[in-house]
Amino acid sequence: RFHNQCYFPEWIKEDKIINVKTKESFFYQSFQRLLDKELFSTSDWEIYNQFFSSDNRDIHFLYLENLEELEYNKMYKYSSLWECKKYLEKENFSLATLTYYPIYCKQFEYLVKMGLYALACDYAYAIKKKSTFQETFGIEKKYYPFMKEINISYQLLNALKLYPTTNIEILNFISDYEWLVEELSPHLKFDKILPYLEEQGLTKANFYEYCDYIRCLKKMQLNLKDNCILFPKNFMQEHDKINTEVIIVEDPEINKKIKGFANILSLNQYEDEKFVIYPVDSIESIIEESRKQANCLRTYSTSISNNDCQIYLMREKKNLEKSFVTIEVRNAKIVQARTKYNKEVSEEVKSILKNWENRLIPIFNRKE
């Protein structure tokens, strides 16, 4: 926005603007190339600034107040640029808004006619008109009244595509953290996140920690559909806990030790007509069992690698891929055996485990 006016050269041709003071011409395509650059070189700035120089007082001006006159200009006749006057009076805009976009972006008129002035004036080049509304904007047409009501920006449109909602607070929030949302959107419930953070005594800035927490949940293969996992009672405590678990899981030495002990623990393998029992042999198998059984076995990684406890898996031979019973052994005694959700095992299984326990070979650390 240039104090309600934009310095504007006298001559406008179909492919360029001519500065009547310097007689230099500037092609619209060149301007677009500048727009596509993240950083301008010295020569780029020289080209750019020649059209905004305060010394060019002898050139004609295009004021917001006389935009309507463009309706009679051959090049602007079908642009409907003048309908953007109220929007331009309130917002910042670039030279491209008055020159390149209305003339060379056919979708400019389409966006203006739809009342989507922010998209037309700032991002007309990024919207490609297609056969349907949804193909054009990437969102269902039922959201059009809302888009028009808020004069949706390109940033908010991207947010709306990531998380369709008419809650402007949520959209602004998503827009501020777009790159995080894009990565984790399938697992985020934005209608619950903001109230949850507030309930935990946290702010929007803590969304970074929340996303880090979600990443850890994914690495540990936990159930991301479980609200108790997504929204724990003590967030920061659970955040720090699972980060520690991930560090442990990603430590190659711990995994190496687990595999080493598994070779020794395999002396206690068991097999009959219906069941097999064998030790966990990697962090991956621990995480997998924890996920399938919905238990906290994943937190045992360090203890297992140090042989403070020993974990065995019991499977039915008819379905070896399916988790059945998780067994914890300490000092050659079974301290717990649980099915999914930490439920008690059947009497049949208890009997088999008792017989197996009686034949266990005690395996202690070297110092013991």
Side-chain angles (χ1 to χ4, degrees), residues 203-231:
T203 68
K204 290 180 181 179
N206 293 109
F207 184 59
Y208 287 103
E209 282 88 353
Y210 188 79
C211 288
D212 181 53
Y213 174 70
I214 296 295
R215 290 193 193 98
C216 290
L217 294 180
K218 289 175 65 178
K219 285 182 180 179
M220 300 303 291
Q221 299 180 27
L222 297 181
N223 183 5
L224 293 174
K225 294 182 180 180
D226 186 337
N227 280 336
C228 292
I229 292 175
L230 283 177
F231 305 108

PDB file of all heavy atoms in Angstrom, residues 203-231:
ATOM      1  N   THR A 203       0.102 -22.807  26.317  1.00  0.00           N
ATOM      2  CA  THR A 203      -0.326 -21.840  25.305  1.00  0.00           C
ATOM      3  C   THR A 203      -0.158 -22.425  23.912  1.00  0.00           C
ATOM      4  O   THR A 203       0.345 -23.537  23.746  1.00  0.00           O
ATOM      5  CB  THR A 203       0.503 -20.545  25.407  1.00  0.00           C
ATOM      6  OG1 THR A 203       1.866 -20.825  25.008  1.00  0.00           O
ATOM      7  CG2 THR A 203       0.505 -19.998  26.832  1.00  0.00           C
ATOM      8  N   LYS A 204      -0.538 -21.638  22.897  1.00  0.00           N
ATOM      9  CA  LYS A 204      -0.387 -22.082  21.513  1.00  0.00           C
ATOM     10  C   LYS A 204       1.072 -22.390  21.185  1.00  0.00           C
ATOM     11  O   LYS A 204       1.363 -23.240  20.347  1.00  0.00           O
ATOM     12  CB  LYS A 204      -0.912 -21.013  20.557  1.00  0.00           C
ATOM     13  CG  LYS A 204      -2.422 -20.844  20.584  1.00  0.00           C
ATOM     14  CD  LYS A 204      -2.850 -19.771  19.600  1.00  0.00           C
ATOM     15  CE  LYS A 204      -4.363 -19.581  19.637  1.00  0.00           C
ATOM     16  NZ  LYS A 204      -4.797 -18.516  18.711  1.00  0.00           N
ATOM     17  N   ALA A 205       1.984 -21.681  21.846  1.00  0.00           N
ATOM     18  CA  ALA A 205       3.410 -21.899  21.585  1.00  0.00           C
ATOM     19  C   ALA A 205       3.835 -23.323  21.930  1.00  0.00           C
ATOM     20  O   ALA A 205       4.810 -23.842  21.381  1.00  0.00           O
ATOM     21  CB  ALA A 205       4.244 -20.896  22.381  1.00  0.00           C
ATOM     22  N   ASN A 206       3.085 -23.976  22.823  1.00  0.00           N
ATOM     23  CA  ASN A 206       3.408 -25.352  23.205  1.00  0.00           C
ATOM     24  C   ASN A 206       2.950 -26.371  22.168  1.00  0.00           C
ATOM     25  O   ASN A 206       3.122 -27.587  22.365  1.00  0.00           O
ATOM     26  CB  ASN A 206       2.780 -25.683  24.553  1.00  0.00           C
ATOM     27  CG  ASN A 206       3.381 -24.886  25.686  1.00  0.00           C
ATOM     28  OD1 ASN A 206       2.733 -23.993  26.232  1.00  0.00           O
ATOM     29  ND2 ASN A 206       4.615 -25.181  26.034  1.00  0.00           N
ATOM     30  N   PHE A 207       2.377 -25.887  21.068  1.00  0.00           N
ATOM     31  CA  PHE A 207       1.975 -26.794  19.993  1.00  0.00           C
ATOM     32  C   PHE A 207       3.183 -27.526  19.430  1.00  0.00           C
ATOM     33  O   PHE A 207       3.067 -28.660  18.953  1.00  0.00           O
ATOM     34  CB  PHE A 207       1.266 -26.011  18.886  1.00  0.00           C
ATOM     35  CG  PHE A 207       0.725 -26.875  17.781  1.00  0.00           C
ATOM     36  CD1 PHE A 207      -0.194 -27.875  18.048  1.00  0.00           C
ATOM     37  CD2 PHE A 207       1.137 -26.698  16.466  1.00  0.00           C
ATOM     38  CE1 PHE A 207      -0.692 -28.679  17.025  1.00  0.00           C
ATOM     39  CE2 PHE A 207       0.649 -27.493  15.443  1.00  0.00           C
ATOM     40  CZ  PHE A 207      -0.266 -28.483  15.731  1.00  0.00           C
ATOM     41  N   TYR A 208       4.371 -26.903  19.495  1.00  0.00           N
ATOM     42  CA  TYR A 208       5.592 -27.564  19.034  1.00  0.00           C
ATOM     43  C   TYR A 208       5.846 -28.826  19.871  1.00  0.00           C
ATOM     44  O   TYR A 208       6.178 -29.883  19.337  1.00  0.00           O
ATOM     45  CB  TYR A 208       6.793 -26.622  19.150  1.00  0.00           C
ATOM     46  CG  TYR A 208       6.794 -25.523  18.121  1.00  0.00           C
ATOM     47  CD1 TYR A 208       6.425 -24.234  18.465  1.00  0.00           C
ATOM     48  CD2 TYR A 208       7.168 -25.783  16.809  1.00  0.00           C
ATOM     49  CE1 TYR A 208       6.420 -23.216  17.515  1.00  0.00           C
ATOM     50  CE2 TYR A 208       7.172 -24.777  15.849  1.00  0.00           C
ATOM     51  CZ  TYR A 208       6.793 -23.497  16.212  1.00  0.00           C
ATOM     52  OH  TYR A 208       6.786 -22.500  15.274  1.00  0.00           O
ATOM     53  N   GLU A 209       5.687 -28.704  21.204  1.00  0.00           N
ATOM     54  CA  GLU A 209       5.869 -29.865  22.072  1.00  0.00           C
ATOM     55  C   GLU A 209       4.806 -30.924  21.794  1.00  0.00           C
ATOM     56  O   GLU A 209       5.101 -32.123  21.822  1.00  0.00           O
ATOM     57  CB  GLU A 209       5.795 -29.448  23.545  1.00  0.00           C
ATOM     58  CG  GLU A 209       7.049 -28.796  24.083  1.00  0.00           C
ATOM     59  CD  GLU A 209       7.057 -27.291  23.870  1.00  0.00           C
ATOM     60  OE1 GLU A 209       6.141 -26.764  23.184  1.00  0.00           O
ATOM     61  OE2 GLU A 209       7.971 -26.636  24.369  1.00  0.00           O
ATOM     62  N   TYR A 210       3.595 -30.468  21.516  1.00  0.00           N
ATOM     63  CA  TYR A 210       2.521 -31.424  21.248  1.00  0.00           C
ATOM     64  C   TYR A 210       2.821 -32.215  19.973  1.00  0.00           C
ATOM     65  O   TYR A 210       2.619 -33.429  19.924  1.00  0.00           O
ATOM     66  CB  TYR A 210       1.177 -30.708  21.124  1.00  0.00           C
ATOM     67  CG  TYR A 210       0.014 -31.677  21.029  1.00  0.00           C
ATOM     68  CD1 TYR A 210      -0.491 -32.289  22.180  1.00  0.00           C
ATOM     69  CD2 TYR A 210      -0.541 -32.009  19.806  1.00  0.00           C
ATOM     70  CE1 TYR A 210      -1.533 -33.214  22.098  1.00  0.00           C
ATOM     71  CE2 TYR A 210      -1.588 -32.932  19.720  1.00  0.00           C
ATOM     72  CZ  TYR A 210      -2.074 -33.523  20.871  1.00  0.00           C
ATOM     73  OH  TYR A 210      -3.094 -34.440  20.786  1.00  0.00           O
ATOM     74  N   CYS A 211       3.304 -31.532  18.937  1.00  0.00           N
ATOM     75  CA  CYS A 211       3.645 -32.219  17.684  1.00  0.00           C
ATOM     76  C   CYS A 211       4.813 -33.176  17.893  1.00  0.00           C
ATOM     77  O   CYS A 211       4.849 -34.264  17.311  1.00  0.00           O
ATOM     78  CB  CYS A 211       3.980 -31.197  16.599  1.00  0.00           C
ATOM     79  SG  CYS A 211       2.532 -30.308  15.984  1.00  0.00           S
ATOM     80  N   ASP A 212       5.756 -32.775  18.725  1.00  0.00           N
ATOM     81  CA  ASP A 212       6.868 -33.663  19.057  1.00  0.00           C
ATOM     82  C   ASP A 212       6.350 -34.912  19.758  1.00  0.00           C
ATOM     83  O   ASP A 212       6.805 -36.037  19.496  1.00  0.00           O
ATOM     84  CB  ASP A 212       7.855 -32.914  19.966  1.00  0.00           C
ATOM     85  CG  ASP A 212       9.057 -33.760  20.338  1.00  0.00           C
ATOM     86  OD1 ASP A 212       9.716 -34.291  19.420  1.00  0.00           O
ATOM     87  OD2 ASP A 212       9.335 -33.900  21.537  1.00  0.00           O
ATOM     88  N   TYR A 213       5.368 -34.729  20.624  1.00  0.00           N
ATOM     89  CA  TYR A 213       4.736 -35.845  21.332  1.00  0.00           C
ATOM     90  C   TYR A 213       4.064 -36.798  20.342  1.00  0.00           C
ATOM     91  O   TYR A 213       4.205 -38.024  20.451  1.00  0.00           O
ATOM     92  CB  TYR A 213       3.718 -35.273  22.321  1.00  0.00           C
ATOM     93  CG  TYR A 213       2.877 -36.294  23.041  1.00  0.00           C
ATOM     94  CD1 TYR A 213       3.428 -37.132  24.011  1.00  0.00           C
ATOM     95  CD2 TYR A 213       1.514 -36.413  22.774  1.00  0.00           C
ATOM     96  CE1 TYR A 213       2.656 -38.067  24.690  1.00  0.00           C
ATOM     97  CE2 TYR A 213       0.726 -37.338  23.446  1.00  0.00           C
ATOM     98  CZ  TYR A 213       1.301 -38.166  24.399  1.00  0.00           C
ATOM     99  OH  TYR A 213       0.534 -39.085  25.060  1.00  0.00           O
ATOM    100  N   ILE A 214       3.349 -36.251  19.347  1.00  0.00           N
ATOM    101  CA  ILE A 214       2.677 -37.071  18.334  1.00  0.00           C
ATOM    102  C   ILE A 214       3.697 -37.873  17.530  1.00  0.00           C
ATOM    103  O   ILE A 214       3.497 -39.055  17.231  1.00  0.00           O
ATOM    104  CB  ILE A 214       1.829 -36.194  17.392  1.00  0.00           C
ATOM    105  CG1 ILE A 214       0.695 -35.498  18.152  1.00  0.00           C
ATOM    106  CG2 ILE A 214       1.257 -37.038  16.248  1.00  0.00           C
ATOM    107  CD1 ILE A 214      -0.333 -36.433  18.723  1.00  0.00           C
ATOM    108  N   ARG A 215       4.823 -37.238  17.179  1.00  0.00           N
ATOM    109  CA  ARG A 215       5.870 -37.949  16.432  1.00  0.00           C
ATOM    110  C   ARG A 215       6.380 -39.151  17.232  1.00  0.00           C
ATOM    111  O   ARG A 215       6.626 -40.229  16.682  1.00  0.00           O
ATOM    112  CB  ARG A 215       7.025 -36.999  16.125  1.00  0.00           C
ATOM    113  CG  ARG A 215       6.723 -35.920  15.109  1.00  0.00           C
ATOM    114  CD  ARG A 215       8.020 -35.252  14.667  1.00  0.00           C
ATOM    115  NE  ARG A 215       7.761 -34.033  13.927  1.00  0.00           N
ATOM    116  CZ  ARG A 215       7.794 -32.813  14.467  1.00  0.00           C
ATOM    117  NH1 ARG A 215       8.081 -32.655  15.745  1.00  0.00           N
ATOM    118  NH2 ARG A 215       7.549 -31.745  13.728  1.00  0.00           N
ATOM    119  N   CYS A 216       6.554 -38.937  18.523  1.00  0.00           N
ATOM    120  CA  CYS A 216       7.032 -40.025  19.377  1.00  0.00           C
ATOM    121  C   CYS A 216       6.006 -41.150  19.466  1.00  0.00           C
ATOM    122  O   CYS A 216       6.368 -42.330  19.451  1.00  0.00           O
ATOM    123  CB  CYS A 216       7.347 -39.491  20.778  1.00  0.00           C
ATOM    124  SG  CYS A 216       8.801 -38.422  20.850  1.00  0.00           S
ATOM    125  N   LEU A 217       4.718 -40.777  19.551  1.00  0.00           N
ATOM    126  CA  LEU A 217       3.670 -41.792  19.575  1.00  0.00           C
ATOM    127  C   LEU A 217       3.732 -42.641  18.308  1.00  0.00           C
ATOM    128  O   LEU A 217       3.574 -43.870  18.362  1.00  0.00           O
ATOM    129  CB  LEU A 217       2.290 -41.134  19.677  1.00  0.00           C
ATOM    130  CG  LEU A 217       1.943 -40.379  20.965  1.00  0.00           C
ATOM    131  CD1 LEU A 217       0.524 -39.805  20.871  1.00  0.00           C
ATOM    132  CD2 LEU A 217       2.063 -41.276  22.187  1.00  0.00           C
ATOM    133  N   LYS A 218       3.966 -41.988  17.170  1.00  0.00           N
ATOM    134  CA  LYS A 218       4.052 -42.709  15.902  1.00  0.00           C
ATOM    135  C   LYS A 218       5.255 -43.652  15.902  1.00  0.00           C
ATOM    136  O   LYS A 218       5.154 -44.801  15.460  1.00  0.00           O
ATOM    137  CB  LYS A 218       4.157 -41.716  14.739  1.00  0.00           C
ATOM    138  CG  LYS A 218       2.885 -40.943  14.455  1.00  0.00           C
ATOM    139  CD  LYS A 218       3.084 -39.901  13.380  1.00  0.00           C
ATOM    140  CE  LYS A 218       3.397 -40.516  12.034  1.00  0.00           C
ATOM    141  NZ  LYS A 218       3.553 -39.493  10.971  1.00  0.00           N
ATOM    142  N   LYS A 219       6.395 -43.166  16.393  1.00  0.00           N
ATOM    143  CA  LYS A 219       7.601 -44.000  16.419  1.00  0.00           C
ATOM    144  C   LYS A 219       7.409 -45.221  17.312  1.00  0.00           C
ATOM    145  O   LYS A 219       7.913 -46.304  17.011  1.00  0.00           O
ATOM    146  CB  LYS A 219       8.795 -43.176  16.915  1.00  0.00           C
ATOM    147  CG  LYS A 219       9.337 -42.192  15.897  1.00  0.00           C
ATOM    148  CD  LYS A 219      10.535 -41.453  16.436  1.00  0.00           C
ATOM    149  CE  LYS A 219      11.083 -40.462  15.406  1.00  0.00           C
ATOM    150  NZ  LYS A 219      12.238 -39.706  15.929  1.00  0.00           N
ATOM    151  N   MET A 220       6.664 -45.015  18.402  1.00  0.00           N
ATOM    152  CA  MET A 220       6.446 -46.119  19.327  1.00  0.00           C
ATOM    153  C   MET A 220       5.225 -46.952  18.938  1.00  0.00           C
ATOM    154  O   MET A 220       4.829 -47.865  19.660  1.00  0.00           O
ATOM    155  CB  MET A 220       6.265 -45.583  20.757  1.00  0.00           C
ATOM    156  CG  MET A 220       7.475 -44.797  21.262  1.00  0.00           C
ATOM    157  SD  MET A 220       9.019 -45.726  21.217  1.00  0.00           S
ATOM    158  CE  MET A 220       8.735 -46.932  22.496  1.00  0.00           C
ATOM    159  N   GLN A 221       4.618 -46.604  17.785  1.00  0.00           N
ATOM    160  CA  GLN A 221       3.489 -47.349  17.217  1.00  0.00           C
ATOM    161  C   GLN A 221       2.307 -47.461  18.183  1.00  0.00           C
ATOM    162  O   GLN A 221       1.640 -48.492  18.265  1.00  0.00           O
ATOM    163  CB  GLN A 221       3.947 -48.747  16.788  1.00  0.00           C
ATOM    164  CG  GLN A 221       5.035 -48.723  15.724  1.00  0.00           C
ATOM    165  CD  GLN A 221       5.475 -50.110  15.312  1.00  0.00           C
ATOM    166  OE1 GLN A 221       4.723 -51.057  15.391  1.00  0.00           O
ATOM    167  NE2 GLN A 221       6.718 -50.227  14.868  1.00  0.00           N
ATOM    168  N   LEU A 222       2.045 -46.383  18.905  1.00  0.00           N
ATOM    169  CA  LEU A 222       0.906 -46.375  19.828  1.00  0.00           C
ATOM    170  C   LEU A 222      -0.376 -46.029  19.082  1.00  0.00           C
ATOM    171  O   LEU A 222      -0.349 -45.487  17.976  1.00  0.00           O
ATOM    172  CB  LEU A 222       1.159 -45.381  20.959  1.00  0.00           C
ATOM    173  CG  LEU A 222       2.356 -45.722  21.858  1.00  0.00           C
ATOM    174  CD1 LEU A 222       2.510 -44.691  22.961  1.00  0.00           C
ATOM    175  CD2 LEU A 222       2.200 -47.108  22.466  1.00  0.00           C
ATOM    176  N   ASN A 223      -1.491 -46.311  19.716  1.00  0.00           N
ATOM    177  CA  ASN A 223      -2.796 -46.123  19.078  1.00  0.00           C
ATOM    178  C   ASN A 223      -3.175 -44.647  19.048  1.00  0.00           C
ATOM    179  O   ASN A 223      -3.574 -44.069  20.062  1.00  0.00           O
ATOM    180  CB  ASN A 223      -3.857 -46.922  19.838  1.00  0.00           C
ATOM    181  CG  ASN A 223      -5.219 -46.836  19.182  1.00  0.00           C
ATOM    182  OD1 ASN A 223      -5.382 -46.257  18.100  1.00  0.00           O
ATOM    183  ND2 ASN A 223      -6.218 -47.399  19.823  1.00  0.00           N
ATOM    184  N   LEU A 224      -3.072 -44.037  17.880  1.00  0.00           N
ATOM    185  CA  LEU A 224      -3.342 -42.602  17.745  1.00  0.00           C
ATOM    186  C   LEU A 224      -4.827 -42.297  17.624  1.00  0.00           C
ATOM    187  O   LEU A 224      -5.208 -41.147  17.384  1.00  0.00           O
ATOM    188  CB  LEU A 224      -2.590 -42.049  16.531  1.00  0.00           C
ATOM    189  CG  LEU A 224      -1.067 -42.051  16.681  1.00  0.00           C
ATOM    190  CD1 LEU A 224      -0.392 -41.626  15.390  1.00  0.00           C
ATOM    191  CD2 LEU A 224      -0.621 -41.174  17.816  1.00  0.00           C
ATOM    192  N   LYS A 225      -5.655 -43.304  17.784  1.00  0.00           N
ATOM    193  CA  LYS A 225      -7.099 -43.081  17.806  1.00  0.00           C
ATOM    194  C   LYS A 225      -7.642 -43.084  19.231  1.00  0.00           C
ATOM    195  O   LYS A 225      -8.826 -42.827  19.452  1.00  0.00           O
ATOM    196  CB  LYS A 225      -7.808 -44.161  16.976  1.00  0.00           C
ATOM    197  CG  LYS A 225      -7.484 -44.085  15.491  1.00  0.00           C
ATOM    198  CD  LYS A 225      -8.249 -45.154  14.712  1.00  0.00           C
ATOM    199  CE  LYS A 225      -7.921 -45.069  13.220  1.00  0.00           C
ATOM    200  NZ  LYS A 225      -8.655 -46.106  12.435  1.00  0.00           N
ATOM    201  N   ASP A 226      -6.764 -43.378  20.162  1.00  0.00           N
ATOM    202  CA  ASP A 226      -7.152 -43.443  21.572  1.00  0.00           C
ATOM    203  C   ASP A 226      -6.994 -42.066  22.207  1.00  0.00           C
ATOM    204  O   ASP A 226      -5.880 -41.547  22.333  1.00  0.00           O
ATOM    205  CB  ASP A 226      -6.270 -44.468  22.289  1.00  0.00           C
ATOM    206  CG  ASP A 226      -6.701 -44.712  23.722  1.00  0.00           C
ATOM    207  OD1 ASP A 226      -7.362 -43.842  24.313  1.00  0.00           O
ATOM    208  OD2 ASP A 226      -6.372 -45.789  24.257  1.00  0.00           O
ATOM    209  N   ASN A 227      -8.091 -41.453  22.639  1.00  0.00           N
ATOM    210  CA  ASN A 227      -8.045 -40.115  23.229  1.00  0.00           C
ATOM    211  C   ASN A 227      -7.228 -40.068  24.511  1.00  0.00           C
ATOM    212  O   ASN A 227      -6.638 -39.028  24.847  1.00  0.00           O
ATOM    213  CB  ASN A 227      -9.461 -39.598  23.498  1.00  0.00           C
ATOM    214  CG  ASN A 227     -10.119 -39.058  22.242  1.00  0.00           C
ATOM    215  OD1 ASN A 227      -9.450 -38.654  21.296  1.00  0.00           O
ATOM    216  ND2 ASN A 227     -11.437 -39.063  22.210  1.00  0.00           N
ATOM    217  N   CYS A 228      -7.182 -41.165  25.236  1.00  0.00           N
ATOM    218  CA  CYS A 228      -6.385 -41.194  26.463  1.00  0.00           C
ATOM    219  C   CYS A 228      -4.897 -41.072  26.153  1.00  0.00           C
ATOM    220  O   CYS A 228      -4.115 -40.550  26.953  1.00  0.00           O
ATOM    221  CB  CYS A 228      -6.650 -42.487  27.230  1.00  0.00           C
ATOM    222  SG  CYS A 228      -8.324 -42.598  27.908  1.00  0.00           S
ATOM    223  N   ILE A 229      -4.506 -41.565  24.979  1.00  0.00           N
ATOM    224  CA  ILE A 229      -3.108 -41.449  24.551  1.00  0.00           C
ATOM    225  C   ILE A 229      -2.860 -40.081  23.925  1.00  0.00           C
ATOM    226  O   ILE A 229      -1.842 -39.444  24.182  1.00  0.00           O
ATOM    227  CB  ILE A 229      -2.765 -42.571  23.551  1.00  0.00           C
ATOM    228  CG1 ILE A 229      -2.785 -43.920  24.267  1.00  0.00           C
ATOM    229  CG2 ILE A 229      -1.405 -42.334  22.895  1.00  0.00           C
ATOM    230  CD1 ILE A 229      -2.568 -45.113  23.362  1.00  0.00           C
ATOM    231  N   LEU A 230      -3.801 -39.612  23.109  1.00  0.00           N
ATOM    232  CA  LEU A 230      -3.636 -38.313  22.446  1.00  0.00           C
ATOM    233  C   LEU A 230      -3.673 -37.154  23.435  1.00  0.00           C
ATOM    234  O   LEU A 230      -2.978 -36.148  23.248  1.00  0.00           O
ATOM    235  CB  LEU A 230      -4.741 -38.119  21.397  1.00  0.00           C
ATOM    236  CG  LEU A 230      -4.588 -38.855  20.075  1.00  0.00           C
ATOM    237  CD1 LEU A 230      -5.801 -38.599  19.200  1.00  0.00           C
ATOM    238  CD2 LEU A 230      -3.313 -38.442  19.355  1.00  0.00           C
ATOM    239  N   PHE A 231      -4.490 -37.284  24.474  1.00  0.00           N
ATOM    240  CA  PHE A 231      -4.669 -36.189  25.432  1.00  0.00           C
ATOM    241  C   PHE A 231      -4.479 -36.706  26.859  1.00  0.00           C
ATOM    242  O   PHE A 231      -5.441 -36.854  27.610  1.00  0.00           O
ATOM    243  CB  PHE A 231      -6.057 -35.566  25.272  1.00  0.00           C
ATOM    244  CG  PHE A 231      -6.353 -35.100  23.870  1.00  0.00           C
ATOM    245  CD1 PHE A 231      -7.255 -35.793  23.068  1.00  0.00           C
ATOM    246  CD2 PHE A 231      -5.727 -33.986  23.345  1.00  0.00           C
ATOM    247  CE1 PHE A 231      -7.527 -35.370  21.774  1.00  0.00           C
ATOM    248  CE2 PHE A 231      -5.984 -33.563  22.053  1.00  0.00           C
ATOM    249  CZ  PHE A 231      -6.883 -34.248  21.263  1.00  0.00           C
TER     250      PHE A 231
END
